[in-house]
Amino acid sequence: INEFERPQIIFNKSIQKNTRKDIEQTAKENIKEGYWSKSDDSQLVNKVMLHEIGHFVQRVLTEQISIKRNETELRNSNPRAYDKKIAEEMHQKVLKINKNKYNDNSTHISKYGESDRFEFFAETFAELMTTNNPSNLAKSLDDYLKGEK
C-alpha cells in the first residue's frame, strides 16, 4: 500500500529527538526566512503537526471527491496523477476565492508552499490553524473547505 492508497500522518523521526524549545526555534527561523507560513508564537510547537494534518485532510478530501465524482477506479489506477490533478483544482479554487471574496491576487503562502500543490495546501492549512490573523489565502482555504462538505 502506498501513501496515496491509505491516508496517514507520518512524522520525521528526527523530530522526536527535539525538545519543545528546539521545535519552536526551528519554526521561528523557518517563518522568519519565509520558508514556512506564519504562525502565532503560542502555536509554534504545533506547526509541524498541523502541516502534516493538512496533508491528511487533503488526501481524505481527495478521496471523497473521487467518490463523489464516481472516479474511484480512475484514482486507484494512477493515484499520484489523480491526486496531483485534484490538488491543482483545489489550488485554483482557493486562488479564485482569494481574488473574488478578498480582492487579493496573492498566490504565495511560503517558499515551501511553492514547491508543489500538496505543500501549498499543507502550508496554508497550517497557517489557518496556527494564527489568529490568517492571510487571505488561508481564509480562502477555510472558505473552500467549508464549501466542500
Side-chain angles (χ1 to χ4, degrees):
I1 295 176
N2 69 39
E3 67 182 293
F4 295 97
E5 291 179 37
R6 186 179 334 159
Q8 54 187 312
I9 298 173
I10 301 170
F11 294 100
N12 185 318
K13 288 182 182 180
S14 68
I15 201 156
Q16 297 170 7
K17 298 175 187 173
N18 293 331
T19 66
R20 178 186 180 114
K21 190 172 183 169
D22 293 336
I23 293 168
E24 288 174 339
Q25 186 59 38
T26 299
K28 275 185 183 179
E29 290 168 7
N30 281 300
I31 291 166
K32 183 179 178 185
E33 294 297 319
Y35 192 67
W36 289 1
S37 58
K38 69 180 180 175
S39 176
D40 294 345
D41 285 349
S42 64
Q43 293 295 315
L44 291 172
V45 72
N46 299 321
K47 189 73 172 174
V48 172
M49 178 182 61
L50 287 162
H51 173 99
E52 295 307 323
I53 290 172
H55 285 303
F56 180 80
V57 168
Q58 187 176 31
R59 288 187 183 121
V60 169
L61 185 56
T62 299
E63 185 175 341
Q64 290 175 345
I65 289 169
S66 73
I67 292 167
K68 188 176 177 182
R69 294 180 180 178
N70 199 25
E71 295 177 342
T72 51
E73 283 185 36
L74 177 62
R75 182 173 188 243
N76 292 337
S77 69
N78 191 345
R80 181 83 178 146
Y82 185 88
D83 289 10
K84 281 178 79 171
K85 179 186 123 190
I86 299 301
E88 180 61 35
E89 287 179 21
M90 290 177 182
H91 182 254
Q92 292 305 316
K93 288 178 181 180
V94 169
L95 295 182
K96 186 175 182 179
I97 292 167
N98 194 42
K99 182 177 182 177
N100 293 342
K101 184 172 181 177
Y102 299 102
N103 198 30
D104 186 344
N105 290 318
S106 307
T107 60
H108 177 84
I109 196 73
S110 69
K111 291 176 187 172
Y112 193 42
E114 289 182 347
S115 59
D116 65 40
R117 300 308 187 223
F118 301 110
E119 297 306 338
F120 173 85
F121 189 100
E123 279 291 289
T124 308
F125 183 86
E127 179 180 307
L128 179 64
M129 296 291 114
T130 62
T131 183
N132 288 319
N133 186 25
S135 66
N136 289 337
L137 275 173
K139 290 185 224 174
S140 297
L141 177 64
D142 189 40
D143 294 335
Y144 169 76
L145 291 171
K146 288 174 181 172
E148 281 295 324
K149 291 180 189 175

